[in-house]
Amino acid sequence: MNKVILMGRLTRDPEVRYTQGDNSLCIANFSIAVDRRYSRNNQDGQTADFINCVAFGKLAEHVEKYYRKGLKTALTGRIQTRNYTNRDGQKVYVTEVVVEELEFAESKNAQGANAGYGSGGANYGGSGNGGNYGGGSGSYGNAGGGYSAPAQNQSAAPASDTLDGFMNIPDGIDEELPFN
């Protein structure tokens, strides 16, 4: 089984490009900083791991539109390795997470400086057909999945709800709750 679940912040704005040809495919590269739970006496001084990620198709278009440096995200995917020969003739090995699902991991209010780049809870899964990525080798593809737009809130919340992030429960509803 090859399944990765990560939560962290984007270390830079995503790099997005499109493949050439009739069926061009969107490809988004980004990296996230994932905090370590603990470190043994903090020997190396590093408290986070920096994980390279790649997304394809509609998922990559979503990343291009909403994701920016500093945004906190939760993602699932799979680890994939590939290699290619660079312009200097050297063989380069790359290990990265191929993203299958993405979620915003904090609200707009919590993002502070990143306000306006999405909201919590939207789930995006899967990408389109395979494509060729990087230096002419290392083909990618992800079967299944799909794309669904975030649910739109039909009723506007009162201003007091948006300040603390919690919904106000009306008086007299205690009898209807399944717990005390």
Side-chain angles (χ1 to χ4, degrees):
M1 177 184 284
N2 183 354
K3 180 109 175 159
V4 176
I5 302 171
L6 299 170
M7 182 180 289
R9 295 190 182 274
L10 269 70
T11 61
R12 63 182 189 273
D13 286 348
E15 297 172 10
V16 179
R17 63 180 176 267
Y18 290 82
T19 59
Q20 295 179 351
D22 294 337
N23 296 329
S24 83
L25 179 69
C26 185
I27 302 170
N29 289 297
F30 57 95
S31 65
I32 62 172
V34 179
D35 288 333
R36 293 183 181 168
R37 284 190 171 188
Y38 64 91
S39 63
R40 294 185 181 180
N41 300 330
N42 202 13
Q43 292 174 353
D44 60 358
Q46 185 178 356
T47 60
D49 292 304
F50 300 90
I51 313 292
N52 292 324
C53 302
V54 61
F56 297 95
K58 295 283 187 186
L59 193 58
E61 292 172 10
H62 171 74
V63 169
E64 177 181 30
K65 188 172 182 181
Y66 296 108
Y67 279 54
R68 298 290 178 264
K69 178 181 177 179
L71 180 105
K72 190 171 187 179
T73 186
L75 63 86
T76 61
R78 58 188 162 83
I79 292 180
Q80 184 163 305
T81 58
R82 62 184 172 88
N83 63 64
Y84 64 93
T85 304
N86 67 10
R87 293 180 181 146
D88 298 332
Q90 297 175 328
K91 199 167 201 175
V92 178
Y93 295 90
V94 178
T95 301
E96 58 202 352
V97 173
V98 177
V99 179
E100 296 170 350
E101 295 180 22
L102 269 174
E103 293 186 24
F104 296 107
E106 65 186 359
S107 68
K108 287 182 184 179
N109 292 338
Q111 290 176 20
N114 294 323
Y117 293 118
S119 61
N123 185 20
Y124 299 85
S127 62
N129 299 328
N132 196 25
Y133 166 87
S137 67
S139 71
Y140 290 98
N142 179 19
Y147 174 79
S148 59
Q152 298 295 323
N153 189 355
Q154 299 296 332
S155 61
S160 62
D161 290 350
T162 59
L163 295 178
D164 62 5
F166 294 97
M167 183 178 117
N168 290 329
I169 298 176
D171 294 331
I173 198 168
D174 295 334
E175 298 79 37
E176 298 175 23
L177 295 176
F179 51 86
N180 292 343

